[in-house]
Amino acid sequence: MSNQAFEAVIGLEVHAELLTATKIFCSCSTAFGAEPNTQCCPICMGYPGAMPRLNRRAVELAIRAGLALGCEIAEVSQTDRKQYFYPDLPKAYQISQDESPLCKNGFLTVSTKEGTRRVAISRIHIEEDAGKLIHRGAHTFVDCNRCGVPLIEIVSAPDLRSPEEASAYLRKLRSILLTCGISDCRMQEGSLRCDVNISLRPFGSETFGVRTEIKNLNSFAFVEKAIAYEIARQTEALLQGNVPIPETRRFDAAAGKTYPMRAKETSVDYRFLPEPDLPPIWVSEEDIERLRTTLPELPDARALRLAQAYGLTVYDASVLVSEPQLADFFEAGAGKTDYPKLLVNLLLSELLRHCASDPFSSPVSASRLAELSQLMGEGTVNSATAKKLLLRLLDGDLDPRLTVKREGLAQVRDREQLLTLAERAMEEQPRAVTDYRNGKSAALRALQGKVMALSGGRADPILLESIFLELLSPHSDETR
Ligand SMILES: [Zn+2]
């Protein structure tokens, strides 16, 4: 199915739960995972007569997000009631912001293989979350613990053009929110989720096509898959002369498809009206400047600094800052090794592979990983031994340098010693020698493996390879 006929026009609405201890209009806890309906009160359940009171910290975190994303912060904004008729928000409306959001006109720069794009952020507003519906057999239960948890909704302009860009935008946004301590962005717990608006138009056209909205995507992979599916589906419809219906769709991850949920709401359906129980939100110039000074170094700046200071590739630096804890871990170790690039490799390729589920609770400290990179970089151990030592560090702390000394794990770099072992390997594996000389270059690996086994895995692989290449070269019989 071709998707080259049309250009995709994609905008994202991202909901992020704010990292406050209490809810946005009451003092109930926002902690995740409590027994159902143990963290709610008349205010967040919308009992008649209960009066909301705005959580100052939630407003500050929202402004912080706005500043990190280059937004203008409104000195005065207001809250509005949005009609909401589902049982997971018993008061039947959601307090949000309609025409006067707290932040607007920001941007985010995303990079993909296709290049770099500046994506406009139309607005960021605060609102309350709804509760959860739990379906068991024929029954549906309501858990109101999440009612009133503070959210920001970050709305991008329809500036994204591909599934990869949408995913890159979401990753970048996540790393900024994490770096600034605005949200914990735990997608699996729903504290970061994403609605995608998508339409197609002929290349070169400036007008928008009919868009559909895919609701509540909670992983980067789902965002990419749902958009790719929707592009293919809409392309097929358009090529057959049909116009897609404006509708809200859901993504079924198991099927990898989107399905219609309901006709798309329009703003008329929301029946916004100014929230009568809350005064306007006033933010002074001083407040804004004070919050601006508390912003940490942002991911792009940090990636640039790490790349320059430690000679890392742009890719490695960007992977580090995408997860601020990863960058912190790296920086904690980087000063303790002369080989920061090896440290990055050990961190990103080895440590993460062994504890992908939760790398930050790993027992391996940044200093220990730095010591390993130092041992590798200075040639004391080869990478195979370093990896074995890392496995042992995962089981319990040990001093890598002492262990190498005590257990004789140092790399064999003595040329004569390796030469003897190489000759022995060739004698024991004449078939591999013949194969190699007949053009099967892969046979070299069998010989190298033999020497590795003979040396207890300690041979210097680079020196060993050069020795074999000499021994196996067509002229070696004459010269030796
Ligand atoms: Zn409450």
Side-chain angles (χ1 to χ4, degrees):
M1 198 182 310
S2 161
N3 54 21
Q4 294 304 304
F6 301 99
E7 176 182 54
V9 176
I10 303 162
L12 260 52
E13 293 170 11
V14 175
H15 287 91
E17 281 183 5
L18 298 173
L19 262 180
T20 56
T22 56
K23 293 186 181 178
I24 188 164
F25 302 122
C26 64
S27 55
C28 293
S29 166
T30 57
F32 178 82
E35 279 289 298
N37 299 313
T38 55
Q39 295 176 166
C40 32
C41 72
I43 296 173
C44 53
M45 295 185 73
Y47 283 25
M51 295 291 275
R53 191 161 162 238
L54 183 58
N55 182 335
R56 184 187 176 91
R57 182 73 186 141
V59 176
E60 288 184 346
L61 288 174
I63 294 174
R64 209 170 154 78
L67 293 172
L69 293 166
C71 291
E72 299 158 15
I73 312 300
E75 280 188 51
V76 192
S77 67
Q78 77 171 43
T79 49
D80 299 278
R81 290 188 179 184
K82 180 181 179 180
Q83 189 113 321
Y84 185 95
F85 187 64
Y86 300 98
D88 55 2
L89 196 57
K91 63 187 181 192
Y93 62 86
Q94 177 192 29
I95 302 180
S96 179
Q97 293 189 295
D98 180 24
E99 290 199 345
S100 65
L102 193 56
C103 320
K104 56 185 183 184
N105 299 335
F107 69 94
L108 187 63
T109 312
V110 295
S111 300
T112 62
K113 290 197 296 289
E114 310 301 318
T116 298
R117 191 189 295 280
R118 184 181 154 115
V119 180
I121 289 176
S122 319
R123 57 185 284 155
I124 303 175
H125 64 256
I126 50 169
E127 62 186 25
E128 61 185 325
D129 209 346
K132 267 184 203 159
L133 296 179
I134 300 157
H135 305 283
R136 295 254 165 83
H139 301 279
T140 295
F141 299 87
V142 182
D143 175 6
C144 288
N145 282 352
R146 208 175 61 187
C147 293
V149 165
L151 295 178
I152 44 175
E153 180 173 338
I154 302 163
V155 182
S156 85
D159 287 350
L160 297 155
R161 294 290 173 267
S162 67
E164 297 74 29
E165 275 188 0
S167 162
Y169 169 89
L170 195 56
R171 284 172 201 272
K172 186 74 162 289
L173 191 58
R174 177 178 178 274
S175 76
I176 291 173
L177 297 177
L178 279 175
T179 299
C180 297
I182 292 161
S183 172
D184 65 19
C185 296
R186 293 196 181 127
M187 299 182 91
Q188 69 287 2
E189 292 177 8
S191 63
L192 186 74
R193 43 194 205 263
C194 177
D195 301 339
V196 175
N197 284 292
I198 173 167
S199 64
L200 300 186
R201 64 183 176 193
F203 275 100
S205 166
E206 288 296 314
T207 49
F208 294 123
V210 176
R211 72 187 156 118
T212 58
E213 180 176 12
I214 314 165
K215 279 283 188 196
N216 269 332
L217 297 163
N218 66 351
S219 91
F220 300 118
F222 293 171
V223 167
E224 286 199 38
K225 284 180 188 158
I227 293 175
Y229 177 80
E230 196 57 19
I231 289 175
R233 190 188 70 83
Q234 291 189 20
T235 298
E236 195 173 64
L238 289 167
L239 288 177
Q240 288 174 357
N242 301 322
V243 177
I245 310 162
E247 62 187 356
T248 300
R249 301 177 68 90
R250 72 181 171 82
F251 177 64
D252 182 324
K257 294 178 177 178
T258 65
Y259 295 97
M261 272 168 81
R262 54 177 186 255
K264 179 110 188 68
E265 297 99 335
T266 61
S267 57
V268 174
D269 300 320
Y270 294 142
R271 303 285 295 268
F272 278 109
L273 61 99
E275 168 57 51
D277 290 342
L278 287 165
I281 303 168
W282 292 85
V283 185
S284 71
E285 196 67 35
E286 295 81 66
D287 282 338
I288 296 171
E289 288 318 308
R290 179 179 56 79
L291 289 167
R292 198 190 298 279
T293 59
T294 64
L295 280 184
E297 182 182 35
L298 294 175
D300 278 353
R302 191 176 194 188
L304 192 64
R305 178 174 60 78
L306 292 182
Q308 286 174 346
Y310 299 105
L312 309 182
T313 62
V314 172
Y315 176 79
D316 282 348
S318 68
V319 173
L320 286 177
V321 302
S322 70
E323 202 71 61
Q325 277 182 288
L326 214 50
D328 292 346
F329 188 98
F330 169 76
E331 286 208 76
K336 297 172 180 157
T337 173
D338 298 322
Y339 305 94
K341 280 164 105 167
L342 290 177
L343 175 62
V344 171
N345 292 346
L346 282 172
L347 175 58
L348 300 183
S349 326
E350 295 303 318
L351 188 59
L352 285 192
R353 188 160 61 85
H354 290 299
C355 32
S357 57
D358 189 5
F360 308 112
S361 65
S362 131
V364 183
S365 70
S367 312
R368 288 303 192 212
L369 206 64
E371 285 170 39
L372 278 189
S373 69
Q374 183 70 27
L375 290 173
M376 256 176 90
E378 68 194 22
T380 305
V381 299
N382 61 22
S383 67
T385 307
K387 287 174 193 173
K388 278 182 205 153
L389 285 167
L390 179 61
L391 285 179
R392 289 174 61 181
L393 279 169
L394 284 163
D395 278 338
D397 195 35
L398 53 85
D399 181 323
R401 192 174 290 277
L402 264 180
T403 309
V404 168
K405 212 175 217 177
R406 198 182 302 136
E407 301 181 15
L409 301 176
Q411 183 164 233
V412 179
R413 285 191 288 172
D414 182 274
R415 198 184 151 77
E416 287 308 310
Q417 203 178 337
L418 286 180
L419 194 60
T420 313
L421 292 175
E423 284 170 341
R424 190 171 147 200
M426 286 167 68
E427 265 171 45
E428 290 182 14
Q429 305 214 341
R431 174 86 189 273
V433 175
T434 319
D435 284 352
Y436 182 84
R437 288 187 165 142
N438 287 335
K440 277 193 190 167
S441 51
L444 184 58
R445 257 182 265 137
L447 295 167
Q448 288 166 317
K450 185 72 193 170
V451 173
M452 275 297 172
L454 291 170
S455 67
R458 295 183 300 118
D460 176 339
I462 296 168
L463 182 54
L464 179 63
E465 181 164 343
S466 76
I467 288 172
F468 268 125
L469 291 181
E470 257 172 59
L471 290 177
L472 292 165
S473 82
H475 310 295
S476 64
D477 289 339
E478 299 143 41
T479 51
R480 285 188 58 82

